[in-house]
Amino acid sequence: MQTSLQPVLVLLAAAVLVVVVFRSLRLPPLLGYLIVGVAIGPNALGWITTTDDVRHLAEIGVVFLMFSIGLEFSLPRLLTMRRIVFGLGAAQVLVTLLLVLGVALAVGVAWQGGIVLGGALAMSSTAILAKLLAERFELNSPHGRQIIGILLFQDLAVVPLLILIPALGAPAEELATTLGFAIAKAVVVLTVLLVVGQRVMRAWFHVVARQKSPELFVLNVLLVTLGVAFLTELAGLSLALGAFVAGVLISETEYRYQVEEDIKPFRDVLLGLFFVTIGMLLDVRVAVDNAWVAVLLVTLVLVKTALIFGLSRLFGAPSGVALRAGLALGACGEFGFVILAHAAGSGLLQQDVLQPVLAAMVLSMLIAPFVIERSEAIVRRWSSSEWMSRAMQLHNIAVQSMAADRHVLICGYGRSGQNLARFLDREGVPFIALDNDPQRIREASAAGERVVFGDAARREVLLAAGLARARVLIVTYADTASALHIIAHVQEARPGLPVVVRTLDDSDVEKLRNAGATEVVADLMEASLMLASSTLMLVGVPLNRVLRRIRETRESRYELFRGFFRGMTDASESEDQALQPRLHSVLVTAGAKAIGRLFSELNLAASGVEVTAVRRRNVKTAAPAPDMRIEEGDVVVLMGTEAAVAAAEMRLLQG
């Protein structure tokens, strides 16, 4: 017995399993959804068939995808990137469409189907590329801006294509009339919605927001999204187009970011089901038995990569940037499936054409993350100018850091990095900052800041910035993967250099410390301490007691805050001073019994103390290694109670 709920349950169970697997493999879940659809669909295991319930859920997933694209639509952003978006992006879509149309006509496909295929194959995956670029810190790189600019135009190009596809399905004698009527209707409907809807939308959201009800706000977002989509469908246009318009309307209000957060769970779940249904359309036997699928896949990726490379070069990009953009955009994208789904419903493509194209598109998306992962090696192998560009970048970093000695090396010059730099400036401490945002570099350099362009996660960049002469290295941005790369480079080149890392919460603290970080500062921890201190003072707790509580918490949480060098003014600070950890410096004088022995041999931990640092010839080393030998003149910094520190000092000096 099969109920209407059974297909949805099968989809959800398979989707949950595959997302867990793909996230553990650090691959985009979107690819997992496609594989699930291929596996459980009617053309493979046959666990479910394409039912109306599943199809409707998939359509709503597309609606929320287009709504999200509309939310991200920003006229100022488009204007700042207009040369890439409306120049390079438009050229890429138009040339790809015309090229595919010509090939389609040559093999006997009708021109209407050729336009659909051209539009579908011109698309690349915004979902995959945006995620991968963010993970690789390449969103603000030259090739990252080109990729995002082209993706922006591709997303915008979907709108006219969705208007065009239903009209293309009309009989030939009525095509011109149908197409003209569709365009006129779209212009009227969109004008009314965008002009009138802007005022109505803002006023209505004000009314809903004043109720201060989260569930009402989410219900309203769903109502607006699906309501505007329904209106455009009534007007003979697509649901997806209406959802895009709804997103554009809300993007101009102050509620944009709240709406984006509220809609994200619905969008991701339903969009995942959409990709499952796309995978269900694929006949695996076609991909295995039809040799044309492999030919089509290789031709598609190579031609599209070469085309984007050539166009990017025409628009003045260096060969390395152009090749990276081509490799990233060579695969197909989610909007290609949206276009093909609409075309299949309009009868514009036959199954013998649709199946090989669909198979090649799915396979291109499956290999996309692996191509991007290898893109750096490919660019270095084939782009001769890349070596010169890298050499010039490293030369510029080395020139600006040449005079720096005993400086602080700041990785990341965002808000945290700039605030740190101001403190260092006031204290007269020299520093060099690395950042990979060209706009930030230009503005900061114009203001006289000591910041240079470079990816701090690369070993050669750190060395050029004076890693060998640095006093301390600070990672100011909260990204564990990048921080681990930096720590690994430091451990290899300067194992004794103190490294302080910033993280969002304390979930990765142990991982970073085990990798070699001297200290890890968690944003949430510091925010909690500030909240606690303000609250305690407001409820009447004395200031000295508040400071003591905060200090005790930091001592238990941060190694560098544990203990401090006490003086006479600290005598009345604590009721149990003798039991509180303190720092004490011990000079290893001539004749001391510890000279020549390893720290592991002394086993100072048995005395209840911790060696927090060793200063040798004016160079301080945090947490010395167990196999480090003690030399005459060393200053050993001990931490423990008064009695434990005294006992450890005796062992160091008198044995």
Side-chain angles (χ1 to χ4, degrees):
M1 175 181 173
Q2 179 169 333
T3 67
S4 59
L5 189 59
Q6 183 175 331
V8 178
L9 288 175
V10 172
L11 282 175
L12 290 175
V16 168
L17 178 63
V18 81
V19 168
V20 169
V21 172
F22 269 64
R23 286 201 177 278
S24 64
L25 296 175
R26 299 183 66 81
L27 292 173
L30 180 150
L31 302 181
Y33 289 126
L34 288 172
I35 292 175
V36 165
V38 172
I40 67 177
N43 298 314
L45 297 176
W47 288 355
I48 61 172
T49 58
T50 306
T51 64
D52 286 341
D53 294 335
V54 174
R55 183 171 55 80
H56 291 324
L57 284 173
E59 286 180 356
I60 296 176
V62 177
V63 165
F64 283 116
L65 174 63
M66 291 299 295
F67 178 74
S68 298
I69 296 298
L71 275 179
E72 295 171 5
F73 183 88
S74 168
L75 188 58
R77 185 185 183 192
L78 288 177
L79 291 176
T80 58
M81 302 178 66
R82 57 186 177 275
R83 188 170 184 273
I84 298 177
V85 176
F86 297 107
L88 180 57
Q92 182 267 323
V93 171
L94 183 60
V95 174
T96 305
L97 194 152
L98 293 175
L99 187 62
V100 174
L101 175 60
V103 174
L105 292 173
V107 298
V109 178
W111 66 269
Q112 294 96 328
I115 290 177
V116 170
L117 288 175
L121 296 178
M123 300 296 142
S124 303
S125 178
T126 303
I128 292 176
L129 293 176
K131 181 178 184 297
L132 290 176
L133 288 172
E135 288 179 350
R136 294 162 63 92
F137 302 98
E138 295 176 354
L139 282 173
N140 291 310
S141 63
H143 65 275
R145 292 197 304 278
Q146 281 212 347
I147 292 168
I148 295 300
I150 293 173
L151 288 173
L152 274 174
F153 188 85
Q154 290 178 0
D155 294 346
L156 293 175
V158 174
V159 176
L161 285 170
L162 292 177
I163 297 172
L164 185 65
I165 287 173
L168 291 176
E173 62 274 9
E174 302 175 10
L175 182 60
T177 305
T178 304
L179 186 58
F181 182 66
I183 293 174
K185 187 165 51 175
V187 169
V188 172
V189 171
L190 294 179
T191 301
V192 171
L193 285 173
L194 292 173
V195 174
V196 178
Q198 185 68 252
R199 300 187 183 90
V200 174
M201 190 71 68
R202 187 182 296 273
W204 176 243
F205 264 85
H206 283 328
V207 172
V208 172
R210 277 200 294 269
Q211 310 309 311
K212 298 181 179 179
S213 170
E215 62 271 24
L216 178 61
F217 193 86
V218 173
L219 283 173
N220 181 59
V221 171
L222 295 175
L223 172 65
V224 169
T225 306
L226 299 177
V228 177
F230 177 69
L231 289 177
T232 55
E233 188 182 40
L234 282 182
L237 304 172
S238 67
L239 286 169
L241 178 60
F244 175 80
V245 173
V248 171
L249 292 175
I250 296 175
S251 72
E252 298 301 321
T253 71
E254 57 268 41
Y255 303 104
R256 168 186 171 182
Y257 297 106
Q258 182 61 47
V259 169
E260 196 170 12
E261 283 299 310
D262 289 340
I263 212 72
K264 189 175 180 181
F266 301 100
R267 180 198 67 190
D268 292 348
V269 170
L270 295 172
L271 188 59
L273 294 180
F274 166 73
F275 284 114
V276 171
T277 60
I278 291 297
M280 290 168 61
L281 295 175
L282 178 63
D283 190 340
V284 181
R285 289 166 295 184
V286 172
V288 173
D289 299 337
N290 194 338
W292 284 108
V293 172
V295 174
L296 185 58
L297 171 65
V298 174
T299 304
L300 167 66
V301 174
L302 290 181
V303 170
K304 198 172 174 185
T305 299
L307 176 64
I308 294 170
F309 172 80
L311 289 173
S312 185
R313 290 287 287 155
L314 283 177
F315 276 78
S319 60
V321 172
L323 185 53
R324 284 190 182 90
L327 290 168
L329 295 163
C332 295
E334 54 270 12
F335 281 121
F337 297 124
V338 175
I339 293 169
L340 288 184
H342 277 70
S346 302
L348 292 174
L349 290 173
Q350 300 300 318
Q351 283 297 313
D352 59 343
V353 175
L354 180 62
Q355 281 298 324
V357 172
L358 192 62
M361 289 174 64
V362 171
L363 291 173
S364 74
M365 291 182 70
L366 289 174
I367 66 173
F370 304 102
V371 173
I372 294 173
E373 190 68 30
R374 296 294 302 161
S375 62
E376 192 69 23
I378 296 172
V379 170
R380 291 186 180 183
R381 172 69 178 82
W382 293 102
S383 177
S384 57
S385 66
E386 183 66 15
W387 290 103
M388 183 65 70
S389 173
R390 289 290 178 90
M392 287 297 295
Q393 183 189 109
L394 295 177
H395 173 73
N396 291 335
I397 296 173
V399 167
Q400 296 189 54
S401 65
M402 192 175 296
D405 188 34
R406 304 283 298 151
H407 59 289
V408 175
L409 187 51
I410 302 175
C411 300
Y413 206 61
R415 291 185 181 180
S416 298
Q418 292 172 41
N419 288 332
L420 172 60
R422 293 187 186 106
F423 278 104
L424 295 174
D425 236 354
R426 289 173 185 171
E427 297 298 325
V429 177
F431 68 87
I432 293 290
L434 293 168
D435 201 277
N436 60 0
D437 187 330
Q439 181 179 348
R440 184 181 295 150
I441 299 295
R442 283 196 299 272
E443 294 184 0
S445 299
E449 303 284 341
R450 294 185 292 279
V451 56
V452 292
F453 182 84
D455 182 1
R458 287 170 44 208
R459 183 176 185 272
E460 61 269 27
V461 170
L462 291 173
L463 292 175
L467 178 65
R469 307 184 305 275
R471 187 188 307 183
V472 64
L473 182 144
I474 314 293
V475 182
T476 65
Y477 53 88
D479 186 275
T480 301
S482 178
L484 289 171
H485 282 299
I486 294 172
I487 294 170
H489 296 322
V490 172
Q491 291 296 311
E492 181 184 349
R494 280 283 306 279
L497 181 70
V499 178
V500 180
V501 179
R502 175 188 163 208
T503 185
L504 290 177
D505 53 42
D506 54 5
S507 59
D508 292 325
V509 169
E510 291 306 316
K511 184 191 299 184
L512 291 164
R513 279 184 174 168
N514 292 337
T518 309
E519 190 55 87
V520 183
V521 179
D523 289 357
L524 292 180
M525 178 68 178
E526 289 304 311
S528 300
L529 289 177
M530 290 300 99
L531 285 171
S533 61
S534 299
T535 304
L536 290 174
M537 285 189 289
L538 288 172
V539 298
V541 178
L543 177 59
N544 63 335
R545 195 183 304 171
V546 172
L547 294 176
R548 190 179 76 207
R549 296 297 183 204
I550 298 300
R551 192 194 72 230
E552 288 172 352
T553 304
R554 282 201 173 106
E555 286 175 352
S556 64
R557 181 63 184 76
Y558 296 130
E559 292 291 336
L560 294 181
F561 281 105
R562 293 179 63 193
F564 63 98
F565 299 104
R566 298 188 183 274
M568 295 177 63
T569 57
D570 300 316
S572 61
E573 185 177 313
S574 176
E575 299 168 1
D576 52 350
Q577 178 181 342
L579 300 178
Q580 293 295 321
R582 57 173 293 185
L583 292 175
H584 179 58
S585 297
V586 179
L587 174 63
V588 180
T589 56
K593 298 295 184 182
I595 294 176
R597 298 179 66 185
L598 304 177
F599 275 101
S600 58
E601 294 176 10
L602 291 173
N603 193 21
L604 295 176
S607 301
V609 301
E610 180 182 344
V611 180
T612 64
V614 174
R615 185 166 63 85
R616 176 176 294 172
R617 291 185 287 275
N618 291 324
V619 177
K620 184 178 179 181
T621 301
D627 59 352
M628 181 178 181
R629 290 191 182 277
I630 299 173
E631 297 180 3
E632 180 183 341
D634 284 351
V635 176
V636 181
V637 182
L638 305 173
M639 184 180 70
T641 62
E642 287 186 6
V645 166
E649 184 174 9
M650 293 285 289
R651 295 190 68 175
L652 277 170
L653 300 179
Q654 300 179 20

